[in-house]
Amino acid sequence: TCTSCGAQVELGSDTHAAECPFCASPVVTDTGTQRHIKPRALLPFALDEATARRAMTDWLGRLWFAPNGLQDYARKGRQMQGIYVPYWTFDADTKSTYRGERGTTYYVTQTVIRDGKRETVQVPKIRWTPASGRVARFFDDVLILASNSLPKRFTEALEPWDLAALVPYSPEYLAGFRAEGYNLELEHGFVEARGRMDAIIARDVRFDIGGDHQQIHEIDTEVSDVTFKHILLPVWLAAYKYRGETYRFVVNGRTGRVQGERPWSAWKIAFAVLIGALVAGAIGYVVALEQGVL
């Protein structure tokens, strides 16, 4: 129910904040009413819409092959939307034992024949020795996107987030913005987080093995003290249709970091190819003159 005009506003199951269509007042329902796990914290928006738009158009301006018209259209187009995107964060203490091999490079002298001449060369070889040991790492705030509305290649490019600035969740922060509920369940989020943890543990094992090369045969990890948080992170979003194509851009609502679908200008590419061909031709002509071919 809109607190300003009393209208009943229905929001989608993944939307928890919007604008009343009758009086344009912010309408907020407690995020998580459709979910078992409610948000524990969020990062408030630090950039307003105008600043986010400037960051986006500056980013487009640095893409030499982007159409000029798209940058102008984005600058003058409709407003960007501020959206709180759902994430999981996981903490865990890990202790791992491993078994593998350490490789040490050494060289042997060999005689080879090149162009009819005998030459002595140093050929690298690897000497492998068994290696085993233990590594430990505490993981703090492993961040997992809990939405499928935005491609992960976009959201991952917005990192890092200043998670130290998280504040306790309160619906008032959502006023004037949209907010998504999570659609990646907690257990699936933890599976993804474990994958990231395992990759870092494998890197730690390689460092621990040392040497010039490493082979990992087995890692056995004990995970304990696992905790999680459901949090919301601020993103400015814009989607534009330009000459029949749709382009999406996202801006980190804290840092102004931009990511989006890279647009291409056919005539700029053709012009660059033409210039490259002319330059290559000019260089070839100069070389031919110096060699007396022409």
Side-chain angles (χ1 to χ4, degrees):
T1 302
C2 176
T3 56
S4 296
C5 70
Q8 295 289 320
V9 181
E10 183 174 334
L11 304 180
S13 60
D14 289 337
T15 303
H16 304 284
E19 187 177 83
C20 176
F22 300 96
C23 68
S25 298
V27 177
V28 178
T29 183
D30 189 13
T31 299
T33 54
Q34 305 296 326
R35 303 293 188 272
H36 295 297
I37 303 173
K38 295 186 179 183
R40 179 177 173 184
L42 59 76
L43 279 178
F45 276 87
L47 304 180
D48 60 16
E49 192 270 343
T51 304
R53 182 182 295 276
R54 282 197 301 271
M56 179 185 65
T57 53
D58 289 346
W59 181 80
L60 282 171
R62 293 193 294 271
L63 303 179
W64 196 87
F65 289 110
N68 292 332
L70 178 61
Q71 184 178 4
D72 295 336
Y73 183 80
R75 183 182 295 112
K76 301 172 185 176
R78 61 187 178 87
Q79 283 192 330
M80 303 182 75
Q81 286 194 344
I83 300 177
Y84 279 104
V85 180
Y87 281 81
W88 301 112
T89 72
F90 296 93
D91 298 347
D93 193 23
T94 64
K95 294 179 176 61
S96 305
T97 58
Y98 68 85
R99 184 174 55 84
E101 292 182 80
R102 178 187 300 109
T104 303
T105 302
Y106 66 98
Y107 294 86
V108 297
T109 302
Q110 292 184 357
T111 301
V112 298
I113 298 177
R114 291 179 180 169
D115 299 327
K117 297 180 180 179
R118 296 171 65 88
E119 293 183 8
T120 300
V121 297
Q122 296 292 311
V123 179
K125 302 285 185 178
I126 300 176
R127 181 181 295 108
W128 293 101
T129 56
S132 61
R134 295 174 59 89
V135 296
R137 177 180 283 270
F138 178 76
F139 289 92
D140 182 33
D141 283 337
V142 178
L143 193 63
I144 301 297
L145 177 67
S147 165
N148 56 18
S149 299
L150 292 173
K152 285 189 177 180
R153 69 181 188 276
F154 288 2
T155 55
E156 289 176 356
L158 296 182
E159 298 179 13
W161 294 90
D162 53 335
L163 297 182
L166 284 167
V167 299
Y169 170 78
S170 173
E172 286 75 21
Y173 284 107
L174 275 58
F177 300 103
R178 299 182 69 85
E180 273 194 290
Y182 64 85
N183 46 43
L184 176 71
E185 296 297 330
L186 177 64
E187 57 269 26
H188 298 145
F190 184 62
V191 169
E192 187 173 335
R194 271 301 307 268
R196 295 193 182 186
M197 294 177 192
D198 289 343
I200 295 174
I201 291 170
R203 186 192 64 187
D204 291 346
V205 166
R206 292 185 182 277
F207 276 114
D208 200 61
I209 290 175
D212 302 311
H213 307 274
Q214 304 84 33
Q215 289 184 355
I216 300 174
H217 300 320
E218 182 182 17
I219 299 178
D220 183 17
T221 299
E222 177 186 334
V223 182
S224 60
D225 298 330
V226 178
T227 60
F228 75 91
K229 292 190 296 291
H230 172 26
I231 66 173
L232 303 175
L233 300 182
V235 168
W236 286 103
L237 173 67
Y240 299 105
K241 270 196 170 296
Y242 180 75
R243 294 184 177 177
E245 298 290 336
T246 299
Y247 300 97
R248 288 181 299 175
F249 307 98
V250 290
V251 180
N252 184 314
R254 302 281 297 183
T255 66
R257 186 187 293 265
V258 183
Q259 187 54 243
E261 273 144 350
R262 184 185 181 96
W264 301 95
S265 168
W267 75 264
K268 284 186 177 181
I269 294 173
F271 181 73
V273 171
L274 176 62
I275 293 297
L278 291 175
V279 171
I283 293 174
Y285 180 77
V286 171
V287 171
L289 284 179
E290 291 178 348
Q291 295 178 349
V293 177
L294 298 178

